[in-house]
Amino acid sequence: MTFSVDVTVRGYELDTQGHLNQAVYLQYAEHARWELLRAAGLPQEKLLADGIGPVQLEVTVKYRRELRGGEKVRVTCRFDYGTGKTFTLAQQVIKEDGTVAAEITGVAGVLDLAERRLVPDPQGRLAALAGNPDLLTG
């Protein structure tokens, strides 16, 4: 399942060329990931209480179209699990007309905060805690 949140580009997020600052795309992606976890029943407090936290290990952004102040976008997020300690993230920033403004891909994991190591089964660990684990699968 691909989760999404809507965001309006704010004026203070623009660079000197009048389009969305490149770092803000990463903030939008982070916002969508946390909203996905929250919707699945995994707010930050619950993850911390269980001694775990999501970690981003790698990220790639492909900028496709500029975004300007006041534009409304949808930021998608999907977790794709394989085997092992990491999983991939697939995200897009999509303009109202359906044009993809950016593609954000990454590798993530779930960190055991006491051991400072990745948990061996991130999908299983998150699903066991989640109230709505179906949101966590791609």
Side-chain angles (χ1 to χ4, degrees):
M1 175 177 185
T2 300
F3 180 84
S4 66
V5 296
D6 294 332
V7 178
T8 300
V9 177
R10 296 166 289 254
Y12 62 83
E13 297 171 329
L14 305 180
D15 62 17
T16 56
Q17 288 81 29
H19 59 251
L20 188 66
N21 179 282
Q22 54 89 24
V24 180
Y25 287 89
L26 295 174
Q27 292 172 347
Y28 287 3
E30 181 81 1
H31 173 63
R33 289 191 300 273
W34 277 107
E35 286 300 302
L36 168 55
L37 289 170
R38 189 184 61 72
L42 296 171
Q44 188 174 22
E45 301 79 31
K46 187 172 188 176
L47 294 170
L48 291 173
D50 195 60
I52 60 172
V55 291
Q56 186 85 1
L57 303 169
E58 177 183 314
V59 64
T60 301
V61 181
K62 293 181 182 175
Y63 303 99
R64 302 291 186 195
R65 297 287 184 273
E66 73 175 353
L67 292 174
R68 301 185 59 82
E71 286 193 85
K72 295 179 185 347
V73 296
R74 176 156 288 164
V75 185
T76 66
C77 185
R78 188 180 74 238
F79 294 0
D80 292 320
Y81 301 95
T83 59
K85 297 179 181 183
T86 63
F87 55 96
T88 59
L89 297 167
Q91 297 186 262
Q92 291 185 321
V93 179
I94 304 169
K95 298 172 77 149
E96 282 187 300
D97 67 3
T99 303
V100 175
E103 296 173 350
I104 302 153
T105 56
V107 177
V110 176
L111 185 69
D112 180 310
L113 298 175
E115 298 289 324
R116 307 310 287 181
R117 300 213 180 273
L118 295 176
V119 301
D121 177 17
Q123 181 179 14
R125 184 72 176 264
L126 292 174
L129 289 173
N132 188 357
D134 291 342
L135 289 176
L136 300 171
T137 58

